[in-house]
Amino acid sequence: MKEKWIIVTGAGSGIGKEIVKECVSKGYSVIACDINDGALKQLAEDTKGQGYIETYVVDVKKGKDVKDLFYQIKDKNLYGLVNNAGVYLGKNLLDYEENEIDFVMNINIKGYVYFSKCFGELLMKKEIEGAIINISSVSGMEGSSDAIYGMSKAAILGLTKSCAMNFSPYIRVNVVAPTMVNTDMMKNIPEWRKNEYIAHQLIPSFVTPQDVADTVLFLLSSQAKHYTGATFDLNSGCYLR
């Protein structure tokens, strides 16, 4: 397992940090990417002695940054990619400025595209097996009070299915769509929306970063070898489909 490298974006905090820790605990080596150098240094300190992690400061919305990263890691035995980096502004569509729309779309959509493209190119060229797990949201399936965020997360569902087709038979591509996850990002969700989610849940407890990480680890494993192009709802029965 030490020979299998997993790339995790948005690795410095929240869901990404928990995914990194779980990957390391299962014996994977991790390439942890984040735009926040301080958060990456803290991650390295928090996981010191627990496994092998390399940290890279990467701005996911810049294609050149992503290409430069893959040039540095191209000789590693890459196996997995977890597209997790994202931003949520918690704004009404009517209040969005043009630069804010670009900011959200560049991180939440283009970042996933850039990483998926570079990862796919490397593994398909070598004809080796791998897995991509994209982190979307229930907002991409049910809508969001923040229309730009909801749109960006809906786009990831389509990207996942298309990449599953384009990268077969070598790379499995799946998506995890959690409900509200107990991270700092949740502070931006309006109280009425939080209450609405909770009122609909069949399981009356918050989804945690650990819960998301557990699902990601399953999808990276051989136990998920027949899953590709699939969406994994992680919403405590809030919405039944």
Side-chain angles (χ1 to χ4, degrees):
M1 293 288 285
K2 293 278 185 200
E3 296 302 314
K4 287 188 174 182
W5 286 85
I6 310 296
I7 304 167
V8 181
T9 69
S13 61
I15 292 172
K17 186 172 184 177
E18 199 63 40
I19 290 170
V20 170
K21 291 163 69 175
E22 281 300 299
C23 284
V24 168
S25 74
K26 296 298 187 293
Y28 292 109
S29 297
V30 177
I31 294 164
C33 305
D34 203 287
I35 196 171
N36 189 328
D37 184 43
L40 288 176
K41 288 177 179 175
Q42 187 61 55
L43 171 67
E45 183 64 28
D46 292 344
T47 56
K48 191 174 182 179
Q50 296 178 25
Y52 200 75
I53 300 174
E54 291 185 3
T55 60
Y56 294 84
V57 176
V58 180
D59 186 344
V60 300
K61 65 182 182 292
K62 294 182 178 179
K64 184 180 183 303
D65 270 24
V66 179
K67 287 181 181 179
D68 288 346
L69 168 72
F70 275 86
Y71 181 78
Q72 295 178 70
I73 64 176
K74 61 183 171 51
D75 293 326
K76 296 184 184 295
N77 184 27
L78 298 178
Y79 169 71
L81 165 64
V82 183
N83 280 313
N84 166 72
V87 62
Y88 172 76
L89 301 186
K91 301 183 71 169
N92 187 291
L93 177 60
L94 301 179
D95 298 325
Y96 262 96
E97 301 294 338
E98 184 176 351
N99 66 306
E100 293 174 323
I101 296 172
D102 291 340
F103 179 67
V104 174
M105 292 180 67
N106 287 341
I107 295 174
N108 291 8
I109 300 177
K110 286 186 178 180
Y112 284 53
V113 172
Y114 294 146
F115 269 86
S116 297
K117 183 178 186 297
C118 290
F119 184 83
E121 285 174 343
L122 274 180
L123 270 67
M124 295 290 282
K125 183 178 180 180
K126 297 178 182 179
E127 297 187 349
I128 57 177
E129 294 184 350
I132 297 175
I133 295 91
N134 294 319
I135 305 300
S136 180
S137 168
V138 67
S139 297
M141 306 178 79
E142 300 295 334
S144 172
S145 56
D146 182 332
I148 302 303
Y149 178 79
M151 175 183 67
S152 72
K153 289 304 183 179
I156 299 310
L157 302 177
L159 176 67
T160 297
K161 294 175 183 179
S162 296
C163 286
M165 296 170 63
N166 293 333
F167 296 161
S168 67
Y170 299 107
I171 305 173
R172 296 181 293 105
V173 189
N174 295 291
V175 58
V176 181
T179 183
M180 293 185 303
V181 181
N182 197 12
T183 66
D184 287 342
M185 188 181 288
M186 207 168 90
K187 296 174 182 176
N188 294 329
I189 301 174
E191 284 301 318
W192 68 266
R193 191 58 165 151
K194 292 179 187 178
N195 294 334
E196 185 176 73
Y197 276 124
I198 294 170
H200 281 86
Q201 288 183 183
L202 301 180
I203 302 170
S205 60
F206 282 116
V207 173
T208 68
Q210 176 73 58
D211 296 323
V212 180
D214 287 342
T215 306
V216 168
L217 265 293
F218 166 72
L219 291 172
L220 286 172
S221 76
S222 61
Q223 292 175 311
K225 63 184 178 182
H226 293 297
Y227 290 102
T228 194
T231 300
F232 282 73
D233 288 350
L234 192 60
N235 63 30
S236 296
C238 188
Y239 295 97
L240 302 180
R241 284 177 281 271

